[in-house]
Amino acid sequence: LHAKVLNIGCGAGLTSNPLAERGYNVTGVDFSKENLEIAAKNDPTNSVKYLYGSALDLPFPEESFDVAIAMDILEHVEKPEKLLLEASRVLKPEGILFFHTFNQNPLSYFLIVKGPEWCVKNTPKNMYLYRLFIRPNVLKNHLNQANFSVDVLLGFRPKVYFSFLKLLMTRSDPKDWCLQSSISSFS
């Protein structure tokens, strides 16, 4: 029996659908009905349960899921600490949270906020708001307050020089971004 997975802010199903193909019992929640329609349409298994709802008020009882995923959503909500509390509430006691977000630093500002605006055609205005990016120490505090035990926080830093130049010159997203990782541990 595969784990019950909740994808918070599932978007167009880019994470949910591949997990369902691997046999996981997946539920995706998003605040965009358009995203949910796209996700459901592209679910080859027809098994993902897509629901309209808020990441800050999840429509599930406590301890409903083995895994929660919050990819590229924490930096889109005004109160990420509330999202993390909700994720903690719906996870079983030994549940796992996977997430991705952006650090609030100058590199993120230029690469994530301004880079696409300047260089990629049709980028929506204010797709990312820098003020919502989260510094690692603030994120650690939010996770602790939501009763998550964090052993390792893994960060990625692009080796940007040539990729960023390529982005500027071609006005398209380079497919060869190189990443280096950094790891922080705390108890």
Side-chain angles (χ1 to χ4, degrees):
L1 187 64
H2 285 297
K4 287 183 67 175
V5 177
L6 174 62
N7 191 355
I8 304 168
C10 64
L14 298 177
T15 303
S16 301
N17 292 340
L19 288 171
E21 286 184 279
R22 287 171 180 78
Y24 292 97
N25 179 351
V26 182
T27 301
V29 174
D30 203 280
F31 206 61
S32 165
K33 290 180 181 179
E34 182 181 2
N35 282 345
L36 293 168
E37 289 171 12
I38 293 167
K41 180 180 173 183
N42 291 299
D43 174 12
T45 66
N46 291 318
S47 68
V48 180
K49 185 176 182 181
Y50 284 111
L51 302 172
Y52 176 78
S54 169
L56 305 180
D57 187 21
L58 296 169
F60 306 105
E62 293 182 11
E63 300 181 9
S64 298
F65 295 93
D66 302 298
V67 176
I69 300 170
M71 303 302 279
D72 198 24
I73 186 174
L74 293 171
E75 70 279 2
H76 290 287
V77 296
E78 293 284 340
K79 296 188 181 281
E81 65 276 14
K82 187 157 187 210
L83 186 151
L84 293 169
L85 282 167
E86 276 295 278
S88 176
R89 182 184 68 77
V90 300
L91 277 171
K92 293 178 181 175
E94 297 299 317
I96 299 171
L97 171 68
F98 292 97
F99 64 89
H100 166 271
T101 193
F102 295 107
N103 186 357
Q104 191 181 62
N105 63 29
L107 182 61
S108 293
Y109 175 77
F110 285 106
L111 289 179
I112 306 305
V113 177
K114 289 302 179 186
E117 285 179 9
W118 293 336
C119 303
V120 180
K121 293 179 184 179
N122 301 323
T123 297
K125 185 97 170 121
N126 297 321
M127 183 169 74
Y128 289 102
L129 299 175
Y130 179 71
R131 69 179 176 77
L132 295 178
F133 286 18
I134 309 169
R135 294 182 186 274
N137 61 332
V138 173
L139 181 59
K140 290 175 188 177
N141 186 43
H142 291 332
L143 288 163
N144 285 331
Q145 289 178 351
N147 296 316
F148 284 106
S149 124
V150 180
D151 296 321
V152 176
L153 202 58
L154 177 64
F156 292 99
R157 181 178 311 122
K159 295 179 182 178
V160 303
Y161 306 108
F162 295 111
S163 294
F164 189 65
L165 285 175
K166 188 174 180 180
L167 174 72
L168 288 173
M169 294 170 68
T170 64
R171 300 181 72 60
S172 65
D173 184 21
K175 302 299 180 215
D176 61 347
W177 286 100
C178 296
L179 299 173
Q180 67 187 46
S181 63
S182 61
I183 299 174
S184 303
S185 294
F186 69 100
S187 314

